[in-house]
Amino acid sequence: KPGEQKHPKEPSSLQCMHLAVVACGDRLEETLIMLKSAVLFSSSRLCFHIFAEDSLKPEFEKKLKEWPSSYAKKFESNIYPITFSVGNAQEWKKLFKPCAAQRLFLPVILKDVDSLLYVDTDVLFLRPIDDIWHLLREFNSTQLAAMAPEHEIPKIGWYSRFARHPYYGSTGLNSGVMLMNLTRIRSTQFKNSLIPGGLTWEEMLYPLYQKYKNYITWGDQDLLNIIFYFNPECLYVFPCQWNYRPDHCMYGSNCRGAEDEGVSILHGNRGVYHDDKQPTFRALYEVIRDFPFEDNLFQSLYYPLQSKFLDTVHTLCGRIPQVFLKQIEKTMKKVYENRVIVYLGANHRY
């Protein structure tokens, strides 16, 4: 009955893969295309947690309602205002990109969520979220978050050349794709450079920002690098194909995992979906954007992608189309096989 349960969404949420994103400014379309890629390929139910400026909320609600019922039943969505639980809200808002620091507060805000995948708005899933979600099972007893390195090669990495603050490992971390066990984050005392003892996640954020604010360039990502520099045992590092950026191919191919397995999650940072600098990234974005939901995946997504890629072979990233296509091809075959099996199974009953 209504009102009897404290958290009405909890039963379905328990079977959910939780996906969080923070959208401000002109990121509405980008966010919707990211969510679309998640729904297109994933097989388990998704719970979207969208943190957005008030002006974007009605737009998100309207657009998500327009998705056909066959896809709408695969997810539920919650839209939240932008809020910062500690420190100065205006300061947090201005840190790096508008509202990006919101992601630091997810463990505090989503108190009923056990685990979560956070992604930037400029991310595209090229295989089911189920596959990255399963990495949670690989965490050892001290690990509570997973990210990929910022770069594979220290001599051309940003942190190794320019950072003026502590950072994780030899090349730092990129936080555009971050898998989190929120329950563990909430219950851990973190080592830090502020006091000799440990601090909780929430206690640590603002003092850490105050201490390093004159040295950080990439906002919340730098703060996460500082946190995991002091707490390396808390981090699970996943390979570059789970957060594949232009840096992995624009200086020559340097993500071995993507060469072997294909790109799993594409991260179009540097604005590459919207300019002509990396046409391979832009082609993927546009094909997923323009794909009519109910159409055949091979005809209306895979083949247009192949033909668009032919126009990008003159670029360094475009020389390795199989890296971008491998996982999509695999995923679509799986989706197709599942549908055929379901269809045949249904026919056999009569």
Side-chain angles (χ1 to χ4, degrees):
K1 286 177 194 172
E4 270 190 10
Q5 274 184 318
K6 194 176 172 191
H7 306 294
K9 288 198 172 167
E10 201 168 303
S12 61
S13 297
L14 291 174
Q15 291 107 43
C16 250
M17 296 182 297
H18 294 272
L19 177 66
V21 63
V22 180
C24 285
D26 58 357
R27 296 303 180 104
L28 176 80
E29 183 195 78
E30 219 173 63
T31 308
L32 287 163
I33 308 308
M34 179 276 290
L35 297 172
K36 183 180 183 181
S37 72
V39 168
L40 278 181
F41 297 135
S42 292
S43 47
S44 302
R45 186 167 173 74
L46 292 158
C47 285
F48 296 151
H49 300 275
I50 303 164
F51 291 81
E53 288 173 308
D54 295 343
S55 58
L56 294 180
K57 185 181 176 181
E59 281 296 303
F60 272 114
E61 287 171 344
K62 177 172 167 273
K63 296 286 185 191
L64 291 171
K65 275 187 188 132
E66 289 168 6
W67 288 7
S69 59
S70 56
Y71 285 94
K73 68 185 182 198
K74 289 176 73 177
F75 73 91
E76 61 184 60
S77 59
N78 292 291
I79 303 172
Y80 309 82
I82 302 292
T83 50
F84 303 99
S85 62
V86 290
N88 180 316
Q90 286 314 309
E91 253 183 312
W92 284 123
K93 256 185 191 164
K94 285 187 226 146
L95 182 62
F96 192 45
K97 288 179 184 161
C99 312
Q102 178 70 78
R103 144 257 297 276
L104 297 170
F105 295 88
L106 297 178
V108 183
I109 297 166
L110 300 174
K111 286 188 165 61
D112 297 327
V113 176
D114 174 62
S115 295
L116 178 85
L117 177 65
Y118 164 87
V119 294
D120 285 348
T121 59
D122 52 8
V123 153
L124 292 170
F125 293 95
L126 305 188
R127 70 190 278 185
I129 291 188
D130 311 57
D131 298 338
I132 190 169
W133 194 256
H134 291 154
L135 294 180
L136 285 163
R137 296 178 196 160
E138 295 187 19
F139 284 16
N140 67 23
S141 59
T142 60
Q143 290 165 337
L144 46 76
M147 285 183 273
E150 170 66 19
H151 219 287
E152 301 307 298
I153 304 163
K155 67 178 181 196
I156 53 175
W158 192 91
Y159 284 103
S160 38
R161 290 184 298 160
F162 306 117
R164 296 189 295 148
H165 58 76
Y167 57 89
Y168 180 91
S170 59
T171 58
L173 300 162
N174 183 282
S175 59
V177 179
M178 185 176 178
L179 193 60
M180 293 183 261
N181 182 321
L182 300 183
T183 303
R184 285 189 181 179
I185 290 174
R186 285 186 286 263
S187 62
T188 297
Q189 293 281 319
F190 291 88
K191 298 190 288 292
N192 58 84
S193 58
L194 305 163
I195 62 163
L199 288 170
T200 67
W201 185 266
E202 192 175 14
E203 287 168 344
M204 175 175 60
L205 288 178
Y206 195 59
L208 206 61
Y209 165 66
Q210 287 296 327
K211 177 169 181 177
Y212 291 104
K213 66 180 178 182
N214 296 327
Y215 304 100
I216 58 180
T217 305
W218 308 112
D220 50 315
Q221 177 171 293
D222 290 348
L223 286 177
L224 289 165
N225 265 285
I226 295 163
I227 290 169
F228 289 107
Y229 168 83
F230 289 107
N231 300 271
E233 73 288 352
C234 293
L235 191 75
Y236 176 99
V237 180
F238 50 65
C240 46
Q241 66 265 32
W242 292 104
N243 184 349
Y244 189 90
R245 283 158 279 127
D247 302 60
H248 289 120
C249 52
M250 62 195 266
Y251 308 114
S253 183
N254 62 47
C255 175
R256 178 55 59 85
E259 287 172 27
D260 296 344
E261 285 183 36
V263 174
S264 297
I265 295 179
L266 192 77
H267 184 182
N269 63 343
R270 304 172 178 266
V272 292
Y273 297 148
H274 314 291
D275 62 28
D276 298 322
K277 287 178 184 153
Q278 298 297 338
T280 320
F281 281 74
R282 186 170 178 167
L284 267 156
Y285 179 79
E286 289 177 350
V287 165
I288 292 173
R289 180 193 67 194
D290 299 340
F291 172 71
F293 269 107
E294 303 284 27
D295 273 25
N296 177 293
L297 279 165
F298 275 102
Q299 269 176 338
S300 304
L301 196 143
Y302 188 68
Y303 297 138
L305 202 49
Q306 279 186 315
S307 60
K308 271 188 183 243
F309 275 4
L310 290 174
D311 300 331
T312 75
V313 289
H314 61 286
T315 66
L316 275 168
C317 293
R319 281 183 204 170
I320 45 171
Q322 71 285 357
V323 164
F324 297 92
L325 290 169
K326 203 178 275 188
Q327 277 300 336
I328 289 194
E329 198 175 320
K330 209 168 147 185
T331 301
M332 285 197 297
K333 277 183 181 155
K334 210 184 282 179
V335 169
Y336 178 70
E337 281 162 14
N338 287 347
R339 281 188 190 157
V340 168
I341 290 161
V342 168
Y343 177 73
L344 289 174
N347 280 352
H348 278 303
R349 284 205 297 272
Y350 299 105

